[in-house]
Amino acid sequence: MHRSTILLLSLLILLSTAAAGCAAHLKETKGVSRLGYSIQVGAFSDVKNAERLTARLQEKGIDAFYFKRDSRIYAVRFGDYPTWDAAKKHAKKLVSDKMIDSYFIASPQSEFIEKGKKTELKKYSSPVPRPKPTSDMGGIAARTAERFVGIPYRWGGNNVVDGMDCSGFVRAVYNLCGVNIPRTSREQFGTGENIDRDDLKDGDLVFFGASRDEINHVGIYVGNRRFVHAPRRGADIKISSLDEEYFVKKFIGGKRYF
């Protein structure tokens, strides 16, 4: 089998496994829901091309985001459709409107099985030491977040508000895991289970701001008192420590949705 095909199958297995693990343990929480079918577009070698397509879709009212598909390729994903046919119908319309070209319908509950052959998940290096692999939602969300480290994240379109890039990033990670969470950091903080700093687990969201009523930043906890976040508009996604003076002062609390 061609190497690129194996890599694509590996990613599909990773994302479908992630979605199954995430959705299976999702708590019934207001504002949080399981994701349906999505449309995935593109295989961009330049992240700016993925960013531009994302912005163009968002300008049309489509809640799109981009992500690193593997070490060299970026893709764009959007949508929450109840059926595969509904997703395909919308994708075909976007093609006819010349908004997108080729596409892939992604299902967070699907399984990709290659008969007669074993396909290994693509390995990647983590920027920080991490716990042993886990099948629970939190571990999957944390490992997914780490895959974004080092790429710029800019929330496109005309709907940018304070803190949208950081909340858009965590929403994209949860989306890849098959979970819908609210759009802004303030809305995200208003849902889920309250978690103290010392009780944080992989995949929990950590919030920062002047007060509980003035949340302006959010990241994804990945263990070892560290979290992944989009520090400011257009900046590279990075890992920071909760023990840094700024984050110690601004830390408001953690939230868990599963």
Side-chain angles (χ1 to χ4, degrees):
M1 180 177 288
H2 194 276
R3 183 172 180 271
S4 61
T5 302
I6 293 175
L7 289 177
L8 178 57
L9 283 172
S10 297
L11 177 73
L12 295 179
I13 292 171
L14 173 64
L15 294 183
S16 61
T17 301
C22 290
H25 300 285
L26 185 65
K27 288 183 178 179
E28 295 298 327
T29 304
K30 184 178 180 181
V32 180
S33 62
R34 293 173 177 82
L35 188 76
Y37 292 84
S38 300
I39 299 171
Q40 185 170 306
V41 184
F44 304 104
S45 58
D46 186 345
V47 67
K48 292 185 181 298
N49 291 330
E51 182 183 304
R52 279 192 286 268
L53 175 57
T54 299
R56 194 158 67 246
L57 290 168
Q58 288 184 0
E59 287 169 357
K60 295 295 183 179
I62 297 172
D63 194 13
F65 66 91
Y66 60 94
F67 65 99
K68 182 184 287 187
R69 205 180 72 183
D70 59 42
S71 61
R72 299 177 303 279
I73 300 298
Y74 301 87
V76 176
R77 186 176 286 197
F78 57 91
D80 181 8
Y81 304 93
T83 66
W84 187 90
D85 287 337
K88 184 177 180 180
K89 181 179 180 180
H90 191 202
K92 290 176 71 173
K93 183 179 186 305
L94 292 174
V95 170
S96 67
D97 292 341
K98 301 187 183 304
M99 288 293 297
I100 63 174
D101 296 318
S102 58
Y103 59 87
F104 164 75
I105 304 301
S107 167
Q109 300 302 328
S110 63
E111 295 182 9
F112 298 85
I113 302 174
E114 185 185 1
K115 293 182 179 179
K117 294 184 179 180
K118 293 182 179 179
T119 304
E120 259 188 6
L121 294 182
K122 180 176 180 292
K123 296 181 179 179
Y124 63 97
S125 58
S126 174
V128 296
R130 58 191 178 94
K132 294 181 180 180
T134 176
S135 60
D136 70 296
M137 174 180 173
I140 293 167
R143 306 293 76 79
T144 302
E146 290 174 341
R147 293 178 66 88
F148 281 78
V149 171
I151 71 170
Y153 207 79
R154 188 188 305 277
W155 193 264
N158 298 318
N159 58 350
V160 176
V161 298
D162 182 38
M164 181 62 85
D165 282 326
C166 62
S167 61
F169 159 64
V170 301
R171 192 163 185 256
V173 170
Y174 269 60
N175 188 292
L176 286 172
C177 289
V179 178
N180 259 332
I181 59 175
R183 179 182 298 269
T184 70
S185 56
R186 294 177 187 177
E187 292 171 332
Q188 291 164 0
F189 186 72
T191 64
E193 175 187 356
N194 291 319
I195 302 296
D196 292 334
R197 185 197 303 262
D198 293 335
D199 296 325
L200 290 168
K201 294 182 178 180
D202 279 4
D204 291 342
L205 296 191
V206 287
F207 294 85
F208 307 89
S211 69
R212 295 177 68 88
D213 295 323
E214 298 179 76
I215 302 295
N216 57 23
H217 195 59
V218 60
I220 299 178
Y221 188 73
V222 294
N224 301 315
R225 301 186 66 80
R226 300 189 181 202
F227 64 101
V228 180
H229 63 126
R232 61 185 179 279
R233 182 165 173 74
D236 288 0
I237 290 170
K238 62 184 291 187
I239 291 180
S240 295
S241 172
L242 288 174
D243 295 327
E244 292 179 26
E245 182 178 359
Y246 176 83
F247 294 117
V248 169
K249 291 180 179 179
K250 295 292 185 177
F251 182 79
I252 300 298
K255 289 285 184 172
R256 185 172 300 158
Y257 306 93
F258 44 89

